[in-house]
Amino acid sequence: MRILFMGTPDFAVPCLDALIENGYEVAAVVTQPDRPKGRKGEMTPPPVKVAALRHNLPVLQPEKVRVEEALQELEAIGVDLLVTAAYGQILPKRLLDMPRLGCVNVHASLLPRWRGGAPIHRAILEGDANSGVTIMRMVQALDAGDMISQVVVPIAEADTVSSLHDKLAAAGSKLLIETLPSIENGTHTETPQDESLVTYSPNLSRDDERIDWSRDARTLYNQVRGLNAWPVAFTTYSHKVMKIWQARIEEETSAPHAEPGTVVKTTDDSIIVQCGQGTLALLEIQPAGKRRMLVSEYLRGVQPAPGSKFGDREE
């Protein structure tokens, strides 16, 4: 079975590696173009391109996959199945109709929950107990195709976006390899998504990153871990932006004894902050213009006075 693989970020790499390791013929890899990255703006290849070149696979990087030149190039490859994983572009019908076995996508959620571009972030932000991966048919609507297979991945209390991403990437590659034989021999089943259960995971905005201390400690804890390692939750302190990398729920249920955002106390390794309900212990932070650091290190140079406030400036 000849496969055309389309993917871009780290999440897609284990799927490509698994296809190669399990003997599938990957005829070519399509990924996003190289982009400038970092302070120097150096052109950087996407992780899937790096992996494809490691496997000595042909790589195509059309700016827009729906243009005639790109479509003709892909049609000329001649494949049986198209597999996508976080490719980053909507595929035109002409491309979806091209392979004889169609197109399948590896999506990082338990569809129909969290269609869209940020399913891993949204699952943690909303405090979901479980996430997972769905192998689904691709159609000309956002993550709306029939489901072929799913695997559930529990979200641990301490999971961040980074750790859950790695779990889902591994689970997705395994599920893909388990599912492909049934697609090849036609024994798979396809289940329509229940439209009444659909939720969407829009891309993150600056508002998602800003900590609102009037919210409860559980919600803010989920916000901090749901944005780690990217884009990272932030607040302000002494009128400057401060990123919050790690936190812990210090107390979850009590009514506020001080205005939300107020420093209740400091310990050797944490700053305890009043929330709308309960308190949050800040453990790892990044003050403006400085590297990220443990709060224990920060407190050796700065001692926030009880009664001082986080979130003291609109940003």
Side-chain angles (χ1 to χ4, degrees), residues 4-313:
L4 178 65
F5 184 82
M6 303 180 73
T8 298
D10 287 315
F11 176 79
V13 172
C15 287
L16 176 60
D17 289 343
L19 290 172
I20 301 299
E21 291 163 4
N22 285 272
Y24 286 99
E25 180 185 0
V26 178
V29 172
V30 183
T31 187
Q32 296 285 339
D34 296 2
R35 304 290 189 198
K37 190 175 182 180
R39 292 184 176 179
K40 296 182 179 179
E42 294 182 358
M43 295 300 290
T44 304
V48 163
K49 179 181 180 180
V50 175
L53 295 178
R54 188 175 68 244
H55 292 298
N56 296 314
L57 297 172
V59 176
L60 293 81
Q61 295 179 276
E63 190 68 44
K64 293 183 179 179
V65 74
R66 58 177 56 249
V67 301
E68 182 64 26
E69 181 181 356
L71 290 171
Q72 288 186 9
E73 192 171 14
L74 296 176
E75 287 170 340
I77 296 172
V79 297
D80 301 302
L81 180 71
L82 194 159
V83 175
T84 69
Y87 171 55
Q89 292 188 35
I90 300 296
L91 304 190
K93 186 174 186 305
R94 179 170 156 188
L95 186 54
L96 296 178
D97 292 340
M98 181 185 73
R100 69 177 179 86
L101 295 175
C103 306
V104 297
N105 181 46
V106 183
H107 184 77
S109 82
L110 295 173
L111 290 172
R113 186 163 177 78
W114 301 134
R115 292 179 182 175
I120 304 176
H121 289 86
R122 297 294 175 191
I124 295 183
L125 288 170
E126 293 300 319
D128 289 0
N130 293 308
S131 182
V133 178
T134 303
I135 308 292
M136 51 169 287
R137 279 289 176 198
M138 294 194 68
V139 296
Q140 284 195 295
L142 182 65
D143 301 325
D146 292 349
M147 301 179 295
I148 299 173
S149 59
Q150 273 189 340
V151 61
V152 174
V153 176
I155 300 176
E157 171 73 8
D159 265 332
T160 63
V161 165
S162 293
S163 63
L164 183 58
H165 168 282
D166 293 348
K167 291 179 182 179
L168 294 177
S173 63
K174 183 173 183 288
L175 183 64
L176 176 64
I177 297 306
E178 292 171 350
T179 304
L180 285 180
S182 65
I183 295 175
E184 186 171 18
N185 62 30
T187 59
H188 68 289
T189 58
E190 300 188 12
T191 305
Q193 297 183 38
D194 185 341
E195 293 295 324
S196 69
L197 299 178
V198 170
T199 62
Y200 290 94
S201 57
N203 291 331
L204 299 170
S205 70
R206 188 69 169 165
D207 284 341
D208 291 312
E209 303 166 31
R210 183 184 300 105
I211 291 177
D212 177 356
W213 291 103
S214 69
R215 306 177 83 180
D216 63 82
R218 169 62 62 178
T219 298
L220 296 184
Y221 172 67
N222 289 338
Q223 182 181 9
V224 170
R225 67 193 185 110
L227 299 175
N228 179 349
W230 182 88
V232 185
F234 76 90
T235 183
T236 58
Y237 187 71
S238 296
H239 305 292
K240 295 181 180 178
V241 170
M242 177 181 284
K243 293 185 176 181
I244 309 299
W245 284 85
Q246 288 192 51
R248 177 186 69 230
I249 297 173
E250 184 70 7
E251 202 288 319
E252 189 165 357
T253 59
S254 66
H257 302 292
E259 191 175 350
T262 299
V263 175
V264 176
K265 65 178 182 179
T266 60
T267 68
D268 290 343
D269 62 356
S270 67
I271 301 170
I272 313 300
V273 184
Q274 181 67 60
C275 306
Q277 178 176 304
T279 53
L280 196 69
L282 308 186
L283 304 176
E284 187 176 10
I285 60 178
Q286 185 172 5
K290 298 186 177 180
R291 59 177 174 79
R292 60 190 284 190
M293 63 182 73
L294 296 175
V295 166
S296 57
E297 183 181 357
Y298 176 76
L299 291 176
R300 288 198 287 269
V302 179
Q303 276 292 333
S308 57
K309 277 198 65 183
F310 284 88
D312 54 5
R313 193 189 78 178

